Amino acid sequence: MVSQTIDLLKKELPVEEGKLHLNGDGAKTTGLVLVDLVNGFCTVGAGNLAPKVADKQISEMVEESARIARLFCEKKWPVFAFLDTHHPDIPEHPYPPHCIQGTDEANLVPALQWLENDPSATLRRKDCIDGFLGSIDKHDGSNVFVDWVRNNDIKRLLVVGICTDICVLDFVSSALSARNRGFLSPLEDVVVYSRACATYDLPLHIANTLQDTIAHPQELMHHIGLYIAQGRGAKVVSEVSFGALPHPLF
């Protein structure tokens, strides 16, 4: 019954998924954005918001994100990684304490720890859901993400990470709004790679046993995140490839 309902919703709320091929000079103006690939969201048992057991969608997201990041860095293309990180005395409602600074929860997953020493990568710890807002310096108002886009002459963002419908969606929405207002020149396109995104799973029967908690069915919320991102103006792709092709896909 649940799967039938999800299938019906997908039919009524379709996501148009294309393919992205990166090659030549155009690829050099593509920047990869990794959203919150930290232990506290991805590694089994790592914290309050980490998966309790192995999760196929999250595991595949980490694997594919690491593959794409490695290819970008080998080609010396720009990579920007957000790391959710919170002060222990400043809660982020409505969520329980998570990704506390100084703990392994707030660090990159093992498959991506090498990024810390890669010259192509810029890492930004953020203390809020939206990485665009989390990139603003509280003292002078500068934005390290905006600077990264401009300094690298980025015309297209390729976005991956977790959670599709929360941190990924909020960042994508803000980036698109900033682009529309001329704050992110020369940015033109924001692309969300569906296979390299994931969200958490909290079925209704479990949510009903917890206080002040709402259900969050993984497959459905992942799809809704992609659907809303598409509605905001993002392109959604299900495949990213590298190398020579006779005709670019877009």
Side-chain angles (χ1 to χ4, degrees), residues 5-238:
T5 301
I6 291 175
D7 289 341
L8 177 61
L9 286 169
K10 287 183 176 181
K11 182 178 179 180
E12 295 297 319
L13 305 173
V15 174
E16 303 281 341
E17 294 189 83
K19 298 178 181 180
L20 176 63
H21 183 73
L22 296 170
N23 182 58
D25 291 339
K28 295 178 182 178
T29 58
T30 298
L32 176 65
V33 177
L34 300 146
V35 180
D36 291 344
L37 276 103
V38 295
N39 291 310
F41 293 148
C42 304
T43 302
V44 174
N48 288 323
L49 297 184
K52 305 304 180 187
V53 297
D55 184 289
K56 183 173 183 291
Q57 187 184 93
I58 294 176
S59 296
E60 291 180 352
M61 175 273 297
V62 170
E63 181 180 354
E64 188 63 6
S65 296
R67 181 185 78 87
I68 296 294
R70 182 70 72 177
L71 288 168
F72 263 74
C73 289
E74 286 175 355
K75 297 176 182 294
K76 296 180 170 55
W77 295 346
V79 174
F80 195 103
F82 289 112
L83 287 74
D84 201 60
T85 306
H86 297 277
H87 190 281
D89 298 328
I90 305 176
E92 184 180 44
H93 300 297
Y95 304 103
H98 62 280
C99 300
I100 302 302
Q101 65 184 39
T103 71
D104 203 39
E105 277 190 70
N107 292 333
L108 288 166
V109 295
L112 283 167
Q113 286 179 359
W114 56 270
L115 275 177
E116 295 176 0
N117 300 310
D118 194 288
S120 297
T122 299
L123 275 57
R124 173 68 179 187
R125 293 193 178 274
K126 66 178 180 68
D127 59 359
C128 60
I129 293 172
D130 186 341
F132 189 89
L133 293 178
S135 295
I136 298 173
D137 188 287
K138 296 179 180 178
H139 301 291
D140 63 16
S142 62
N143 189 308
V144 65
F145 171 73
V146 172
D147 293 341
W148 175 79
V149 169
R150 291 174 177 167
N151 293 340
N152 289 285
D153 196 34
I154 291 171
K155 295 182 180 178
R156 174 171 54 202
L157 295 177
L158 177 60
V159 184
V160 303
I162 189 168
C163 290
T164 318
D165 56 312
I166 306 173
C167 294
V168 171
L169 177 60
D170 278 22
F171 166 74
V172 166
S173 298
S174 290
L176 287 165
S177 293
R179 178 207 64 182
N180 292 346
R181 295 206 63 201
F183 297 153
L184 273 179
S185 178
L187 184 68
E188 297 173 0
D189 292 319
V190 177
V191 181
V192 179
Y193 182 18
S194 60
R195 285 182 51 220
C197 289
T199 193
Y200 69 95
D201 190 32
L202 184 61
L204 179 62
H205 70 277
I206 296 178
N208 285 340
T209 67
L210 304 173
Q211 186 176 5
D212 299 326
T213 303
I214 60 174
H216 190 275
Q218 183 181 56
E219 185 180 354
L220 175 60
M221 299 309 296
H222 174 69
H223 180 81
I224 288 176
L226 296 173
Y227 178 79
I228 295 175
Q230 177 183 260
R232 298 282 169 82
K235 295 177 179 177
V236 180
V237 299
S238 59

